[in-house]
Amino acid sequence: MKQANKKNRKRKSAKRKTSSFQIIALITIGIALIFLAVQPNFSKQSSDESNHKIEIPFTKEGELSFISKQDNSTIRTIDLEIAEGLAETAQGLMYRYSMSDQQGMLFIMDNEEAQNFWMKETYISLDIIYVNSNFEIVRIHERAVPLSEQNIPSVRKAKYVVEVIGGFCDKFGIEEGDMIKYEKTTNQ
């Protein structure tokens, strides 16, 4: 009888050890499953944060009209952001990821001379329009390649540069020889 009690106690002890082991294993598996279920959300969140784009919003500071050389009629009027001075001119349309065909940027240069622009850190294709001091369009570069550091020259002297979304000039029939006129709508 003593022998049987001893065997029963050993079985109960072995069952308790097995039960404890099974409980620890189940808890470990449960924690692992919770971690795996939550982990993709952590990865997605940090991925979203690292992919967050710094975008500079459009600020309307005026309006610009393109005037036909044929009959002085207004071809198209757009909202305008104005870049004056070295810092604003250097920044230009960098870090913009979209722009409508109702928006553009006017660069007012210090001197009328041959100008060179580029597309560094500019993520959208642009038409770059060079304009002389008489407000005549002297050169158009259509669909400039985003992010290119290649110089885009005016060839002729220009006092103003207008940047609009790529394909704008073709879409609205803007040509060299047409004119521009602009008006500031905010105090600077």
Side-chain angles (χ1 to χ4, degrees):
M1 193 73 162
K2 283 185 177 182
Q3 191 88 4
N5 282 340
K6 201 174 188 180
K7 283 185 177 179
N8 283 338
R9 275 190 245 144
K10 280 186 178 180
R11 278 190 218 145
K12 287 181 182 176
S13 176
K15 282 184 181 178
R16 274 189 232 135
K17 285 181 184 176
T18 303
S19 296
S20 296
F21 177 74
Q22 288 173 339
I23 290 171
I24 291 171
L26 286 172
I27 290 172
T28 304
I29 291 170
I31 290 171
L33 289 172
I34 290 170
F35 176 76
L36 289 173
V38 172
Q39 194 264 341
N41 291 334
F42 286 131
S43 295
K44 184 178 186 290
Q45 182 180 4
S46 46
S47 173
D48 289 347
E49 288 172 5
S50 65
N51 288 335
H52 180 69
K53 298 176 184 174
I54 298 171
E55 183 166 6
I56 300 170
F58 180 82
T59 304
K60 181 179 176 179
E61 298 173 311
E63 290 184 346
L64 182 139
S65 296
F66 293 94
I67 311 299
S68 171
K69 63 184 170 192
Q70 258 64 26
D71 59 9
N72 287 334
S73 65
T74 299
I75 301 169
R76 178 85 172 160
T77 299
I78 59 172
D79 292 336
L80 194 59
E81 189 167 338
I82 300 173
E84 290 182 279
L86 190 57
E88 288 182 358
T89 299
Q91 179 71 45
L93 289 172
M94 289 179 164
Y95 307 107
R96 312 289 175 108
Y97 297 92
S98 64
M99 189 165 84
S100 80
D101 63 9
Q102 298 171 1
Q103 299 172 323
M105 180 171 274
L106 173 68
F107 296 82
I108 302 173
M109 311 309 284
D110 290 334
N111 300 308
E112 182 175 37
E113 59 191 11
Q115 306 292 339
N116 279 298
F117 273 49
W118 63 355
M119 297 290 288
K120 183 178 181 177
E121 302 300 332
T122 306
Y123 293 88
I124 51 178
S125 177
L126 299 173
D127 286 358
I128 300 174
I129 305 165
Y130 292 102
V131 180
N132 67 20
S133 58
N134 295 322
F135 302 102
E136 178 187 358
I137 297 172
V138 294
R139 183 76 172 180
I140 297 174
H141 285 275
E142 293 189 57
R143 295 179 177 87
V145 177
L147 304 174
S148 172
E149 294 186 24
Q150 182 177 350
N151 279 332
I152 302 169
S154 65
V155 181
R156 296 175 57 194
K157 291 182 179 181
K159 171 74 174 164
Y160 307 95
V161 182
V162 180
E163 291 182 340
V164 291
I165 193 73
F168 178 92
C169 292
D170 189 43
K171 180 177 181 179
F172 296 105
I174 309 297
E175 300 175 345
E176 291 177 10
D178 288 338
M179 308 290 282
I180 66 161
K181 68 177 181 179
Y182 74 94
E183 183 179 326
K184 292 181 183 182
T185 56
T186 61
N187 294 332
Q188 296 193 44

